[in-house]
């Protein structure tokens, strides 16, 4: 919209001229060079001031809704973090344009003082930071992201114990036979729980030489169990099974798995897809772990152990990351799959470790 030059002459609109120049300085209008370069031509710009009045919780909620590629479990986590740790706080009701770093620091302090764990607080912090990065870089609502508290994004997760091959076999022997292979696969193939519980008969090759990982089972509040893609692109992979545990897998398939290609490898007692909560209940996880001296062990610790065993085989970082299905944004090469030879060497080394234990040549 252009300013009428007739009303902008010095003897008629000196105050108007000063006001418009002020708007030019803050970037709300654009000077086109007309009127001798002294007067601006107004153009329609995004209503930045109005948008900066939008509440933080409203903006983050819309930010989440506008990300259709999120995995169901991630989407559920984001919405829970928003509801429990942003909307319920004073910071959540603050206008974007008024949000400051001291406010963010105070919000974090109050979360921790209220007994919220450092891990959960860090997750909520990173969610808000990611949303406001969009407000700065894409939506141009605010000039700078105020979520800049040093160290607030760190979770500082406690170091987890590392299980030996002997301990894993002992644990596998302490759970009901129906779930013994769950222990072995999550350990020797470094599978995440969701990857293991989503396996079907078609994912396991004849002879159990390899396992294809292409999906994951996640439990979403309000939806129940949902089959989703793996946690990352690198999570789609085919793994060579150590020879020493192939007979265990074949015996499990024969006894507990239907012949249909889409039949789940691991199910509950009634044949339903296996929930983690049902698994821990059915195997009496606390009692089973205590019986072999592993009190406090989590199911994820089995994957952690497998990762460390594989690292002892002398493979390159790229090969190891491929086997783990790990995705690292700092290294684009992570998406390159390990060669078949490298995969076989890892499986062979793990198989030898298992054989040594069974033959009594090693207690490691």
């Amino acid at each position: 919209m252009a300013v009428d030059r007739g009303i902008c002459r010095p003897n008629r609109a000196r105050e108007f001229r000063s006001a418009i120049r002020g708007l030019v300085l803050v970037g709300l209008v654009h000077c086109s060079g007309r009127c001798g370069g002294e007067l601006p031509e107004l153009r329609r710009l995004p209503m930045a001031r109005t948008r900066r009045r939008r509440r933080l919780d409203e903006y983050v909620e819309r930010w989440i809704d506008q990300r259709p590629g999120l995995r169901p479990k991630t989407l559920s986590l984001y919405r829970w973090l928003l509801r429990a740790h942003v909307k319920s706080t004073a910071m959540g009701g603050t206008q974007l344009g008024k949000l400051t770093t001291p406010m963010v620091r105070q919000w974090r302090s109050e979360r921790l003082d209220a007994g919220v764990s450092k891990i959960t607080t860090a997750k909520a912090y990173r969610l808000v930071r990611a949303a406001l990065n969009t407000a700065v870089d894409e939506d141009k609502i605010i000039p700078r992201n105020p979520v800049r508290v040093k160290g607030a994004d760190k979770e500082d997760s406690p170091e987890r114990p590392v299980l030996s091959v002997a301990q894993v076999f002992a644990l596998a022997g302490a759970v009901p036979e129906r779930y013994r292979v769950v222990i072995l696969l999550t350990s020797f193939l470094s599978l995440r729980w969701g990857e293991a519980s989503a396996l079907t008969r078609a994912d396991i090759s004849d002879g159990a030489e390899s396992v294809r990982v292409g999906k994951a089972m996640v439990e979403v509040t309000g939806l129940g169990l949902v089959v989703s893609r793996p946690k990352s692109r690198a999570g789609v992979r085919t793994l060579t099974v150590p020879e020493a545990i192939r007979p265990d897998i074949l015996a499990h398939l024969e006894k507990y798995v239907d012949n249909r290609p889409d039949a789940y490898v691991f199910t509950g007692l009634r044949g339903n897809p296996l929930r983690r909560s049902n698994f821990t209940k059915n195997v009496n996880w606390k009692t089973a772990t205590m019986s072999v001296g592993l009190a406090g062990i989590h199911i994820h610790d089995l994957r952690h152990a497998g990762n460390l065993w594989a690292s002892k085989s002398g493979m390159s970082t790229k090969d190891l990351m491929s086997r783990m299905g790990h995705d690292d944004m700092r290294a684009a090469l992570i998406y390159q799959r390990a060669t078949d030879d490298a995969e076989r060497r890892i499986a062979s080394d793990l198989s030898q470790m298992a054989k040594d234990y069974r033959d009594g040549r090693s207690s490691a």
Side-chain angles (χ1 to χ4, degrees):
M1 141 179 189
V3 177
D4 185 347
R5 297 176 60 178
I7 69 171
C8 296
R9 292 171 183 164
N11 62 339
R12 300 188 62 182
R14 193 162 292 168
E15 292 183 1
F16 180 78
R17 183 195 300 267
S18 296
I20 294 298
R21 282 175 175 165
L23 293 176
V24 172
L25 290 176
V26 298
L28 293 181
V29 298
H30 171 67
C31 179
S32 65
R34 297 172 66 178
C35 299
E38 296 181 3
L39 291 176
E41 178 183 17
L42 297 176
R43 68 178 182 179
R44 302 177 74 97
L45 295 175
M47 300 183 66
R49 286 185 176 178
T50 299
R51 297 166 75 193
R52 283 198 293 268
R53 294 192 187 104
R54 185 177 300 165
R55 289 163 45 122
L56 172 65
D57 54 4
E58 295 172 348
Y59 184 82
V60 175
E61 185 169 26
R62 178 172 294 185
W63 182 87
I64 294 172
D65 292 340
Q66 291 176 345
R67 265 137 191 85
L70 293 176
R71 298 172 67 244
K73 190 171 183 179
T74 302
L75 182 61
S76 178
L77 171 64
Y78 282 178
R79 286 176 173 164
W80 175 76
L81 290 171
L82 173 64
R83 182 177 66 255
H85 302 292
V86 180
K87 278 191 173 184
S88 61
T89 67
M91 188 179 78
T94 302
Q95 296 178 6
L96 295 182
K98 295 182 178 181
L99 192 63
T100 65
T101 299
M103 288 181 184
V104 177
R105 188 181 298 110
Q106 179 64 27
W107 164 79
R108 176 175 180 268
S109 177
E110 291 174 353
R111 292 287 85 198
L112 294 174
D113 290 344
V116 179
S117 71
K118 288 185 177 180
I119 293 177
T120 299
T121 302
K123 291 181 187 297
Y125 174 91
R126 292 198 299 269
L127 170 63
V128 175
R129 182 178 63 184
L132 293 192
N133 278 340
T134 301
V136 174
D137 299 331
E138 297 180 23
D139 294 341
K140 310 296 183 186
I141 297 176
I142 52 178
R144 178 177 177 272
N145 192 338
V147 186
R148 303 166 64 91
V149 179
K150 188 175 180 179
D153 59 342
K154 302 294 190 298
E155 295 187 10
D156 295 327
S157 299
E159 186 70 23
R160 298 302 306 164
V162 179
L163 280 68
S164 67
V165 173
Q167 288 174 320
V168 166
F169 273 110
L171 180 59
V175 302
E177 184 184 23
R178 183 187 194 92
Y179 301 110
R180 186 170 182 273
V181 174
V182 175
I183 305 297
L184 298 179
L185 279 185
T186 52
S187 302
F188 283 92
L189 295 191
S190 298
L191 296 182
R192 300 175 176 92
W193 169 261
E195 295 170 345
S197 60
L199 290 176
T200 61
R201 178 178 278 274
D203 294 323
I204 299 179
S205 67
D206 293 339
E209 292 92 354
S210 65
V211 170
R212 183 181 65 242
V213 180
K215 54 189 178 300
M217 191 87 72
V218 295
E219 192 162 357
V220 181
T221 303
L223 297 178
L225 290 177
V226 176
V227 176
S228 176
R229 65 183 187 277
K231 191 172 183 179
S232 65
R233 284 192 290 170
V236 178
R237 60 204 190 277
T238 298
L239 301 168
T240 301
V241 178
E243 185 178 353
I245 67 169
R246 292 175 190 173
D248 300 275
I249 298 173
L250 293 174
H252 175 87
L253 292 174
E254 177 69 23
K255 188 170 184 178
Y256 297 108
V257 184
D258 191 86
N259 287 326
R260 294 179 294 104
D262 62 348
Y264 285 112
V265 174
F266 304 116
T267 61
L269 298 178
R270 298 180 180 178
N272 298 322
L274 187 60
R275 296 174 182 264
R276 187 188 304 213
S277 57
N278 287 343
F279 169 77
T280 56
K281 178 182 178 181
N282 292 344
V283 304
N284 200 342
W285 182 259
K286 185 176 180 179
T287 299
T289 54
M290 289 181 65
S291 70
V292 292
L294 295 175
I297 287 293
H298 301 162
I299 187 70
H300 188 76
D301 293 329
L302 301 176
R303 167 177 158 82
H304 179 53
N307 290 342
L308 291 176
W309 299 344
S311 70
K312 295 180 180 180
S313 65
M315 295 298 100
S316 69
T317 300
K318 184 174 67 176
D319 292 337
L320 288 172
M321 299 298 261
S322 178
R323 185 174 181 85
M324 297 178 215
H326 186 74
D327 193 1
D328 187 350
M329 294 179 62
R330 296 170 299 177
L333 291 177
I334 197 61
Y335 298 122
Q336 296 182 7
R337 297 294 182 263
T339 63
D340 288 343
D341 286 342
E343 185 62 28
R344 281 194 292 270
R345 275 184 288 161
I346 293 175
S348 178
D349 285 354
L350 293 178
S351 182
Q352 188 60 51
M353 292 167 69
K355 286 180 179 178
D356 287 347
Y357 166 75
R358 282 178 164 170
D359 295 340
R361 294 195 298 268
S362 171
S363 60

